[in-house]
Amino acid sequence: MYKRQPLVGAEPEEVVVGNSITVNIHTLVGTFLDELLAGNGPDREGVPAADGEWTPDGDPEADPAVLVNELDFPSDHYAIRAQLRQRGIDPDEKLRVVPSRDGRTIDPRDIEAALAEHDDVGIVFMPTALYRSGQLFDVPRIAKAAHEAGAYAGFDAAHSAGAVPHEFDEAGVDFAVWCTYKYLNAGPGSIGALFVAERHHGLAPALAGWWGHEKATQFEMNMTYTPADSAGAWQIGTPPLLSAAPLEGAAELLREAGIRRVRKKSLALTDFLIALVDERLPAVSVGTPRGHASRGGHVALEHPEAERLSEALRDRGVVVDFRPPNVVRVCPAAPYTSFADVLEVVDEIEAILDSGAHEAYATSEGGVT
Ligand SMILES: *Cc1c(COP(=O)(O)O)cnc(C)c1O
């Protein structure tokens, strides 16, 4: 029998692999928008800003909004906008975007302020960690604020699942999505994953398919769709097995290491990296929050020539990501990165910047200057 899911803090029937993050956002945000439009959303009695329940009466003012933030991974907004549009809801009106004060992070008070200001938010959909700066969000705080405003709380845990322990059940999270090709180490293009709280099992998924059918009768091939009574209802078609198989070994490795130990080493690695950058790289600044409670698993190094620097690092065997306009994302994945590796990365950056070696590289805007 499957055991409780330690990575996200959930019961086994609340978690399933399938699809990709983007597809899972489509089906889950779609499902919960349908619930809101049917008048089945969270209780809004006593929500100061709201005057009752959602009214699916065609009045645009009554349509539910989805609250996201300015620094999200773009695919999440594309998917949510499409789901709003498909229900006749104008995304320009109803995708409500929390602004960033500093271009790097989102202040949780601004999420709470947006909920106080707008009484139409039906879903708060936030990342657990930002893909560019690596800011870690306070999931319980955001879930609580969403629920107090009569909204569902959904999360994209792409940048924390496998790096930071979560307690989705305890925090009251309604649904979540993540991938297995970042900190879960299952390899490029590996299968997506999702969480749906048990209290929502039995809902009709927005994107229905035979793989989400009640499992015991799936192969009876009934024309009538009966959703599985588990998160498995949000699977859609046949899972890509060759993209799912590596997860078995990768998950076993994490299980053996223990997510809390992984997190401890990850923080020690990023502490070490930040200290070295502060000490040795005056031209580079750290764009990641320094407090442990608000730092995910990677460090954003900011430099005006970030793209060229990333290319030069790759040529020296250091795999980093360039994130426009000025971020080199360095991710010392705890299970297989050593402190000596971190030191070597800083040595390489220092050598590149001191010698100007990065200046020989082209940027995506073209031309070698
Ligand atoms: C990596 C990532 C994605 C990618 O989505 P796929 O559908 O798996 O390609 C989406 N959202 C966030 C926040 C990510 O970090």
Coordinates of all heavy atoms in Angstrom, one line a residue, residues 8-9 14 32 124 128 139-140 142-144 147 152-156 166-178 195-200:
V8 N 5.0 16.6 -0.1 CA 4.0 17.7 -0.1 C 3.1 17.6 1.1 O 2.2 18.4 1.3 CB 3.2 17.7 -1.4 CG1 4.1 18.1 -2.6 CG2 2.4 16.4 -1.7
G9 N 3.2 16.6 2.0 CA 2.3 16.5 3.1 C 0.9 16.2 2.8 O 0.0 17.0 3.1
E14 N -4.5 11.8 -2.6 CA -4.6 13.2 -2.9 C -3.5 13.6 -4.0 O -3.5 14.8 -4.4 CB -4.4 14.1 -1.7 CG -5.5 13.9 -0.7 CD -5.3 14.8 0.6 OE1 -4.2 14.7 1.2 OE2 -6.3 15.5 1.0
F32 N -12.2 24.3 -10.8 CA -12.6 25.1 -9.7 C -13.3 26.4 -10.2 O -14.2 26.9 -9.5 CB -11.4 25.5 -8.8 CG -11.0 24.2 -7.9 CD1 -10.0 23.4 -8.3 CD2 -11.7 23.9 -6.8 CE1 -9.7 22.2 -7.6 CE2 -11.5 22.7 -6.1 CZ -10.4 21.9 -6.5
V124 N -7.1 31.9 -5.6 CA -5.8 32.5 -5.5 C -4.8 31.4 -6.0 O -4.8 30.3 -5.4 CB -5.5 32.8 -4.0 CG1 -4.1 33.3 -3.8 CG2 -6.5 33.9 -3.5
T128 N 4.8 28.4 -5.1 CA 5.4 28.2 -3.8 C 6.7 28.9 -3.8 O 7.2 29.2 -2.7 CB 5.6 26.7 -3.5 OG1 6.3 26.1 -4.6 CG2 4.2 26.0 -3.4
V139 N 3.1 29.4 2.2 CA 1.9 28.7 1.7 C 0.8 28.8 2.7 O -0.3 29.1 2.4 CB 2.3 27.2 1.3 CG1 1.0 26.4 1.0 CG2 3.2 27.2 0.1
P140 N 1.0 28.4 4.0 CA -0.1 28.5 5.0 C -0.7 29.9 5.1 O -1.9 30.0 5.2 CB 0.5 28.0 6.3 CG 1.8 27.3 5.9 CD 2.3 27.9 4.6
I142 N -0.8 32.2 2.8 CA -1.6 32.6 1.6 C -2.9 31.8 1.5 O -3.9 32.3 1.2 CB -0.7 32.4 0.3 CG1 0.5 33.4 0.3 CG2 -1.6 32.6 -1.0 CD1 1.5 33.0 -0.7
A143 N -2.8 30.5 1.9 CA -4.0 29.7 1.9 C -5.0 30.2 2.9 O -6.2 30.3 2.6 CB -3.6 28.2 2.2
K144 N -4.6 30.7 4.0 CA -5.5 31.2 5.0 C -6.1 32.5 4.5 O -7.4 32.7 4.6 CB -4.7 31.5 6.3 CG -5.5 32.0 7.5 CD -4.6 31.8 8.8 CE -5.3 32.4 10.0 NZ -5.1 33.9 10.1
H147 N -8.8 31.6 2.0 CA -10.0 31.0 2.5 C -10.8 32.1 3.3 O -12.0 32.1 3.2 CB -9.6 29.9 3.5 CG -9.1 28.7 2.7 ND1 -8.2 27.8 3.2 CD2 -9.3 28.3 1.4 CE1 -7.9 26.9 2.3 NE2 -8.6 27.2 1.2
Y152 N -10.7 29.7 -3.3 CA -9.8 28.5 -3.2 C -8.4 28.9 -3.2 O -8.0 30.0 -3.8 CB -10.1 27.7 -4.5 CG -11.4 27.1 -4.6 CD1 -12.3 27.4 -5.6 CD2 -11.8 26.1 -3.7 CE1 -13.6 26.8 -5.7 CE2 -13.1 25.5 -3.8 CZ -13.9 25.9 -4.8 OH -15.2 25.3 -4.9
A153 N -7.5 28.1 -2.7 CA -6.1 28.3 -2.7 C -5.4 27.2 -3.5 O -5.4 26.1 -3.1 CB -5.5 28.3 -1.3
G154 N -4.8 27.6 -4.7 CA -4.1 26.7 -5.5 C -2.6 27.2 -5.6 O -2.3 28.4 -5.5
F155 N -1.7 26.2 -5.8 CA -0.3 26.5 -5.8 C 0.4 25.8 -7.0 O 0.1 24.7 -7.3 CB 0.4 26.2 -4.5 CG 0.0 27.1 -3.4 CD1 -1.1 26.8 -2.6 CD2 0.7 28.3 -3.2 CE1 -1.5 27.7 -1.6 CE2 0.3 29.1 -2.1 CZ -0.8 28.8 -1.4
D156 N 1.4 26.5 -7.5 CA 2.4 25.9 -8.5 C 3.7 25.6 -7.7 O 4.4 26.6 -7.4 CB 2.6 26.8 -9.7 CG 3.4 26.1 -10.7 OD1 4.3 25.3 -10.4 OD2 3.3 26.5 -11.9
H166 N 6.7 20.4 2.1 CA 5.4 21.1 2.2 C 4.5 20.3 3.1 O 4.6 19.1 3.2 CB 4.8 21.3 0.8 CG 5.5 22.3 0.0 ND1 5.5 23.7 0.4 CD2 6.2 22.3 -1.2 CE1 6.1 24.3 -0.5 NE2 6.6 23.5 -1.5
E167 N 3.5 21.0 3.6 CA 2.4 20.4 4.4 C 1.1 20.9 3.8 O 0.4 21.7 4.4 CB 2.5 20.7 5.9 CG 3.7 20.1 6.6 CD 3.7 18.6 6.6 OE1 2.6 18.0 6.4 OE2 4.8 18.0 6.9
F168 N 0.7 20.4 2.6 CA -0.4 20.9 1.9 C -1.7 20.7 2.7 O -2.6 21.5 2.8 CB -0.6 20.3 0.5 CG 0.4 20.9 -0.5 CD1 0.7 20.3 -1.7 CD2 1.1 22.1 -0.2 CE1 1.6 20.8 -2.6 CE2 2.0 22.7 -1.2 CZ 2.2 22.0 -2.4
D169 N -1.8 19.5 3.3 CA -3.1 19.1 4.0 C -3.2 20.1 5.2 O -4.3 20.7 5.4 CB -3.0 17.7 4.5 CG -3.6 16.7 3.5 OD1 -4.3 17.2 2.6 OD2 -3.3 15.5 3.7
E170 N -2.1 20.2 6.0 CA -2.2 21.0 7.2 C -2.5 22.5 6.8 O -3.2 23.1 7.6 CB -0.8 20.9 7.8 CG -0.9 21.0 9.3 CD 0.5 20.8 9.9 OE1 1.1 19.6 9.7 OE2 1.1 21.7 10.4
A171 N -2.0 22.9 5.7 CA -2.2 24.3 5.3 C -3.5 24.5 4.7 O -3.9 25.7 4.4 CB -1.1 24.8 4.3
G172 N -4.3 23.5 4.4 CA -5.6 23.6 3.8 C -5.6 23.9 2.3 O -6.6 24.5 1.8
V173 N -4.5 23.7 1.7 CA -4.4 23.9 0.2 C -5.5 23.1 -0.5 O -5.7 22.0 -0.2 CB -3.0 23.5 -0.3 CG1 -2.9 23.5 -1.8 CG2 -1.9 24.3 0.4
D174 N -6.1 23.8 -1.5 CA -7.2 23.1 -2.2 C -6.6 22.2 -3.3 O -7.0 21.1 -3.6 CB -8.2 24.1 -2.8 CG -8.9 24.8 -1.6 OD1 -9.8 24.1 -1.0 OD2 -8.7 26.0 -1.3
F175 N -5.7 22.8 -4.1 CA -5.1 22.0 -5.2 C -3.7 22.6 -5.5 O -3.3 23.7 -5.1 CB -5.9 22.0 -6.4 CG -6.1 23.4 -7.1 CD1 -5.3 23.7 -8.2 CD2 -7.0 24.3 -6.7 CE1 -5.4 25.0 -8.8 CE2 -7.1 25.6 -7.3 CZ -6.3 25.9 -8.3
A176 N -2.8 21.7 -6.1 CA -1.5 22.2 -6.5 C -1.0 21.4 -7.7 O -1.5 20.3 -8.0 CB -0.5 22.0 -5.3
V177 N 0.0 21.9 -8.3 CA 0.6 21.3 -9.5 C 2.1 21.4 -9.3 O 2.6 22.3 -8.7 CB 0.2 21.9 -10.8 CG1 -1.3 21.8 -11.0 CG2 0.7 23.4 -10.9
W178 N 2.9 20.5 -9.9 CA 4.3 20.6 -10.0 C 4.9 19.7 -11.1 O 4.1 18.9 -11.7 CB 5.0 20.4 -8.6 CG 4.8 19.0 -8.0 CD1 5.7 17.9 -8.1 CD2 3.7 18.6 -7.2 NE1 5.2 16.9 -7.3 CE2 4.0 17.2 -6.8 CE3 2.5 19.2 -6.7 CZ2 3.1 16.5 -6.0 CZ3 1.7 18.4 -6.0 CH2 2.0 17.1 -5.6
F195 N -1.9 17.7 -6.9 CA -2.5 17.4 -5.6 C -3.9 18.0 -5.6 O -4.1 19.2 -6.0 CB -1.7 18.1 -4.5 CG -2.5 18.3 -3.2 CD1 -2.4 17.4 -2.2 CD2 -3.2 19.5 -2.9 CE1 -3.1 17.6 -1.0 CE2 -3.9 19.7 -1.7 CZ -3.8 18.7 -0.7
V196 N -4.9 17.2 -5.2 CA -6.3 17.8 -4.9 C -6.7 17.3 -3.6 O -6.7 16.1 -3.3 CB -7.3 17.3 -6.0 CG1 -8.7 17.8 -5.7 CG2 -6.8 17.6 -7.4
A197 N -7.1 18.2 -2.7 CA -7.5 17.9 -1.3 C -8.7 17.0 -1.4 O -9.6 17.1 -2.2 CB -7.8 19.2 -0.6
E198 N -8.7 16.0 -0.4 CA -9.7 15.0 -0.4 C -11.1 15.5 -0.5 O -12.0 15.0 -1.1 CB -9.5 14.1 0.8 CG -10.3 12.9 0.8 CD -10.2 12.0 2.1 OE1 -9.4 12.4 2.9 OE2 -11.0 11.1 2.2
R199 N -11.4 16.7 0.2 CA -12.7 17.2 0.2 C -13.3 17.6 -1.1 O -14.5 17.8 -1.3 CB -12.8 18.5 1.2 CG -11.9 19.6 0.7 CD -11.9 20.8 1.8 NE -10.9 21.8 1.4 CZ -9.6 21.7 1.7 NH1 -9.1 20.6 2.2 NH2 -8.8 22.7 1.3
H200 N -12.4 17.7 -2.1 CA -12.8 18.0 -3.5 C -12.9 16.8 -4.4 O -13.2 16.9 -5.6 CB -11.9 19.0 -4.1 CG -11.8 20.3 -3.4 ND1 -12.9 21.0 -3.0 CD2 -10.7 21.0 -2.8 CE1 -12.5 22.1 -2.3 NE2 -11.2 22.1 -2.2

